[in-house]
C-alpha cells in the first residue's frame, strides 16, 4: 500500500529573523492543499533540515501535522548519519502523528551494505510507520544499489524509495527486483514520466513548491492513461526544472517563491542568495513559463 500516489512536495521551510515563520508555513501548506498536492514532505533537503536545530525540526514536524489535519499524508524527514538520532526523531514523528518517514542514507560516514541494513532495521524496529528510503548519491556519497534496495525492501515497514540517482537503468532494475508492491517515487523532477513508465507511484518534488497543480497533473494524467498530456507537461516544465538546479537546491526554488510574492524567507548559511547572473536566468525562465516575477 503506497503512502501516497501523485505529487509529494519537498516543502521549503520559511525562515524569518533566525527562526521559523510558522504563520507563513501554515499559508504555504494551505496553498498546497488547495492546489491538489498529494502529500507534504517536511524537513527534507529542500526544507534545509541540515541547518535546523533538533528543537526547530521537531516543532516544524508537529506544526505541519497539526496544520494538515490528516487531509493529505505528512511524511517527515527523519534521516541522519547518526542511527541513534534517527531512531529518536522517528519515534517523535510517530508520537505527533506523521503518516510516514523519509529516511536518507547515512551521509559522510558512508556505511557498508551491512551497515545500511542495520541502520534501517534499527529505525524500522523503533516505529510502526511506513518508511520510504531516500537514495541521493550526489548529496550523500552513498548509492543504494538495486540489490541493496531489494534487501532493504524486506524490512517490515520499508514500503518504497525516493530514487534520485538520475540513473534510469538503476530505477528499472529496482522495479524489476522489488515488484509492483514497492513504491518508487522520482527524486528528480525531470524524470517523473520515465519513472512512471516503469511503475513509479509519483514524485517527491522540488518544482511542486512553485507549480503544485502542474506537478500533480503530470502524475495523475499519466496514471489515468493520458500519456501524451503527461509527457507534454514534463517537457514543458523541464526548462524551469533545470533552472531550479542552476545553484544548489533549495536556493533557486526559495528565490522563485519570493519572486512570486510567497515570502518563503531567507536562506541559512552555508546557503546564500543567488548570484545576479543566475537570478536573471531564473526570472527569464519563470517568465517564459508564464509565472509573473514582477515585484509584489
Amino acid at each position: 500500500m503506497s503512502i501516497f500516489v501523485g505529487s509529494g512536495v519537498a516543502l521549503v521551510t520559511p525562515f524569518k529573523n533566525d527562526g521559523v515563520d510558522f504563520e507563513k508555513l501554515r499559508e504555504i501548506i494551505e496553498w498546497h492543499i488547495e492546489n491538489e498536492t498529494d502529500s507534504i514532505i517536511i524537513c527534507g533537503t529542500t526544507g534545509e533540515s541540515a541547518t535546523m536545530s533538533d528543537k526547530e525540526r521537531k516543532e516544524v514536524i508537529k506544526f505541519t501535522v497539526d496544520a494538515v489535519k490528516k487531509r493529505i499524508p505528512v511524511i517527515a524527514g527523519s534521516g541522519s548519519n547518526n542511527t541513534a538520532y534517527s531512531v529518536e526523531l522517528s519515534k517523535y514523528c510517530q508520537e505527533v502523528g506523521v503518516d510516514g518517514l523519509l529516511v536518507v542514507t547515512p551521509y559522510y560516514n558512508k556505511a557498508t551494505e551491512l551497515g545500511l541494513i542495520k541502520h534501517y532495521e534499527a529505525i524500522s524496529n523503533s516505529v510502526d510507520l511506513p518508511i520510504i528510503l531516500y537514495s541521493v548519491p550526489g548529496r550523500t556519497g552513498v548509492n543504494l544499489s538495486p540489490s541493496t534496495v531489494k534487501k532493504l525492501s524486506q524490512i517490515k515497514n520499508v514500503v518504497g524509495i525516493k530514487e534520485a540517482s538520475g540513473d534510469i537503468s538503476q530505477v528499472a532494475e529496482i522495479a524489476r527486483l522489488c515488484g509492483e508492491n514497492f513504491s518508487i517515487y522520482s527524486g528528480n523532477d525531470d524524470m517523473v514520466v520515465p519513472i512512471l513508465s516503469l511503475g513509479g507511484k509519483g514524485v517527491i518534488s522540488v518544482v511542486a513548491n512553485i507549480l503544485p497543480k502542474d506537478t500533480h497533473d503530470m502524475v495523475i494524467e499519466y496514471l489515468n492513461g493520458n500519456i501524451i498530456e503527461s509527457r507534454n507537461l514534463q517537457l514543458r516544465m523541464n526548462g524551469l526544472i533545470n533552472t531550479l538546479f542552476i545553484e544548489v537546491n533549495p536556493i533557486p526554488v526559495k528565490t522563485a517563491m519570493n519572486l512570486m510574492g510567497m515570502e518563503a524567507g531567507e536562506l541559512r548559511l552555508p546557503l546564500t542568495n543567488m548570484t545576479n547572473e543566475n537570478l536573471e536566468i531564473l526570472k527569464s525562465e519563470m517568465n517564459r513559463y508564464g509565472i509573473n516575477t514582477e515585484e509584489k
Side-chain angles (χ1 to χ4, degrees), residues 216-233:
H216 163 85
D217 286 350
M218 176 169 50
V219 178
I220 300 306
E221 290 285 3
Y222 189 98
L223 296 177
N224 287 339
N226 300 320
I227 310 301
I228 292 173
E229 290 86 345
S230 175
R231 183 193 67 198
N232 288 345
L233 268 171

Side-chain angles (χ1 to χ4, degrees), residues 12-19 45-49 51-52 139 244 247-258 263-275 279 282:
V12 303
T13 304
F15 295 126
K16 185 178 180 181
N17 301 327
D18 297 324
T45 306
T46 308
E48 296 175 83
S49 60
T51 66
M52 295 167 71
R139 288 265 187 180
L244 290 181
E247 291 187 17
V248 68
N249 179 52
I251 293 172
V253 74
K254 211 166 192 183
T255 304
M257 292 174 73
N258 289 331
E263 299 177 19
E266 58 208 30
L267 294 146
R268 281 187 171 174
L269 286 171
L271 300 185
T272 58
N273 291 335
M274 294 185 79
T275 65
L279 178 60
L282 176 62

Side-chain angles (χ1 to χ4, degrees), residues 43-263:
C43 289
T45 306
T46 308
E48 296 175 83
S49 60
T51 66
M52 295 167 71
S53 69
D54 177 59
K55 180 174 182 288
E56 283 179 323
R57 201 163 169 176
K58 289 177 176 176
E59 286 176 346
V60 166
I61 290 167
K62 184 178 188 305
F63 181 89
T64 301
V65 170
D66 293 344
V68 171
K69 298 176 183 174
K70 295 295 181 183
R71 288 173 288 174
I72 58 175
V74 174
I75 299 169
S78 64
S80 167
N81 60 350
N82 176 343
T83 304
Y85 178 65
S86 287
V87 166
E88 176 199 334
L89 186 56
S90 297
K91 286 180 176 178
Y92 175 82
C93 291
Q94 179 164 291
E95 287 170 10
V96 299
V98 304
D99 300 288
L101 302 174
L102 180 68
V103 182
V104 72
T105 54
Y107 40 86
Y108 187 71
N109 42 18
K110 298 174 72 172
T112 62
E113 182 182 67
L114 179 59
L116 290 167
I117 292 169
K118 295 290 187 185
H119 176 78
Y120 283 105
E121 282 179 342
I123 297 167
S124 172
N125 290 336
S126 72
V127 294
D128 298 318
L129 294 171
I131 293 169
I132 298 173
L133 311 171
Y134 182 14
S135 180
V136 57
R139 288 265 187 180
T140 64
V142 179
N143 180 52
L144 286 180
S145 69
S147 60
T148 301
V149 175
K150 171 63 174 173
K151 292 172 184 175
L152 292 170
S153 73
Q154 294 165 354
I155 296 172
K156 65 178 175 70
N157 43 352
V158 171
V159 300
I161 186 169
K162 176 184 178 183
E163 222 293 342
S165 70
D167 184 344
I168 197 68
S169 296
Q170 176 165 289
V171 178
E173 184 65 358
I174 290 169
R176 184 184 77 83
L177 290 174
C178 296
E180 62 183 22
N181 291 327
F182 186 74
S183 298
I184 300 175
Y185 300 99
S186 178
N188 298 93
D189 285 326
D190 61 349
M191 292 178 63
V192 179
V193 169
I195 286 176
L196 290 172
S197 77
L198 295 169
K201 298 296 195 297
V203 59
I204 295 178
S205 172
V206 173
V207 73
N209 279 284
I210 60 172
L211 295 175
K213 184 67 165 61
D214 286 2
T215 310
H216 163 85
D217 286 350
M218 176 169 50
V219 178
I220 300 306
E221 290 285 3
Y222 189 98
L223 296 177
N224 287 339
N226 300 320
I227 310 301
I228 292 173
E229 290 86 345
S230 175
R231 183 193 67 198
N232 288 345
L233 268 171
Q234 175 81 86
L235 295 177
R236 179 175 176 235
M237 292 168 71
N238 272 2
L240 181 54
I241 288 166
N242 293 339
T243 306
L244 290 181
F245 295 90
I246 198 170
E247 291 187 17
V248 68
N249 179 52
I251 293 172
V253 74
K254 211 166 192 183
T255 304
M257 292 174 73
N258 289 331
L259 288 169
M260 293 166 66
M262 295 183 69
E263 299 177 19

